[in-house]
Amino acid sequence: QVQLQESGPGLVKPSQTLSLTCTVSGASISSGGYYWTWVRQNPGKGLEWIGYIYYTGNTYFSPSLKSRVTISRDTVNNKFSLRLTSVSATDTAVYYCGRQSRGVDIDLWGQGTLVTVSS
Amino acid sequence: DIVLTQSPGTLSLSPGDRATLSCWASQSVTNNYLAWYQQKPGQAPRLLIYGISNRATGIPDRFSGSGSGTDFTLTISRLEPEDFAVYYCQQYGGSPPGFIFGPGTTVDVK
């Protein structure tokens, strides 16, 4: 059974960098043809796709966040990570990691982690 | 940029009712890359339908998807108590390609 679990600081100061990790169990992030993705949801709002990393290591990001986002992977520990620089209050959200089996939809989600940007 | 619109914003129904949720795309959806998700309070979204009409693993057959081009529908044939939630449509595509989510439809108890 494949499971994903987000982890990272719940509070980040404005202008600093948000860093989150998604630990994957039950599947290897470097095989299988899967895409591993990040999505966020501002409190009480809708869903916003951030970007993904392919099993090959290639990445792709939302154009609206591209200048501030990095997604990387640690194949030894089977994790992938999100870094979002220069955060502001509008980056306060629940951040979800997920898996795209077909590349075009997200069939497996982590439980999500709330990150608040505040001084 | 492609925009997804969902209607209605809120649908108030009773258990046993039929629910019909609509999703419109500002441009034609390519390669049938249209999916639906269910989200309950405090939970992550759950994939219901992919490729317009294919049920994801473990999804009951009371959920069905249909449509083509720019107009899509999620139908819940008979609402169960656990079906009251928010539903999002999602499209993959555009130039440059990426994920776009609709604003969601809330199905609540009448």
Side-chain angles (χ1 to χ4, degrees):
Chain A
Q1 182 183 1
V2 181
Q3 293 185 312
L4 291 78
Q5 178 66 60
E6 305 89 349
S7 60
L11 181 64
V12 181
K13 288 181 167 51
S15 79
Q16 294 192 343
T17 296
L18 179 159
S19 295
L20 296 173
T21 294
C22 182
T23 300
V24 179
S25 59
S28 170
I29 64 169
S30 57
S31 65
Y34 296 131
Y35 300 72
W36 303 94
T37 199
W38 288 97
V39 173
R40 69 180 184 179
Q41 186 170 34
N42 298 111
K45 302 293 186 182
L47 300 164
E48 180 182 18
W49 173 68
I50 299 170
Y52 62 68
I53 185 164
Y54 195 32
Y55 80 105
T56 57
N58 291 343
T59 54
Y60 193 79
F61 308 116
S62 167
S64 64
L65 295 170
K66 183 177 181 179
S67 63
R68 299 194 291 132
V69 172
T70 302
I71 297 177
S72 60
R73 63 179 184 163
D74 175 358
T75 56
V76 173
N77 293 298
N78 215 38
K79 302 176 180 180
F80 63 105
S81 298
L82 170 71
R83 291 183 75 248
L84 182 66
T85 61
S86 304
V87 297
S88 68
T90 58
D91 294 309
T92 293
V94 175
Y95 286 77
Y96 296 99
C97 61
R99 183 188 73 177
Q100 303 163 216
S101 291
R102 287 167 288 272
V104 298
D105 51 68
I106 303 169
D107 63 313
L108 195 61
W109 296 70
Q111 66 183 30
T113 187
L114 174 63
V115 178
T116 301
V117 178
S118 175
S119 56
Chain B
D1 289 355
I2 296 173
V3 176
L4 295 179
T5 304
Q6 292 187 243
S7 178
T10 300
L11 194 54
S12 297
L13 296 169
S14 301
D17 286 349
R18 181 183 185 89
T20 302
L21 289 67
S22 296
C23 174
W24 289 277
S26 59
Q27 300 175 31
S28 186
V29 172
T30 56
N31 298 310
N32 295 341
Y33 292 157
L34 193 287
W36 291 91
Y37 301 84
Q38 175 195 68
Q39 187 178 33
K40 298 178 182 179
Q43 296 185 18
R46 176 175 70 145
L47 179 65
L48 297 176
I49 301 288
Y50 66 91
I52 299 178
S53 60
N54 301 286
R55 277 187 297 277
T57 302
I59 302 303
D61 60 7
R62 65 180 181 272
F63 292 92
S64 63
S66 62
S68 64
T70 59
D71 295 357
F72 303 92
T73 300
L74 174 70
T75 301
I76 310 171
S77 59
R78 283 180 57 86
L79 281 165
E80 297 288 342
E82 62 267 29
D83 298 337
F84 292 92
V86 181
Y87 293 84
Y88 295 96
C89 59
Q90 171 253 308
Q91 183 251 7
Y92 181 86
S95 180
F99 282 77
I100 302 293
F101 290 94
T105 290
T106 299
V107 178
D108 65 13
V109 180
K110 187 173 182 180

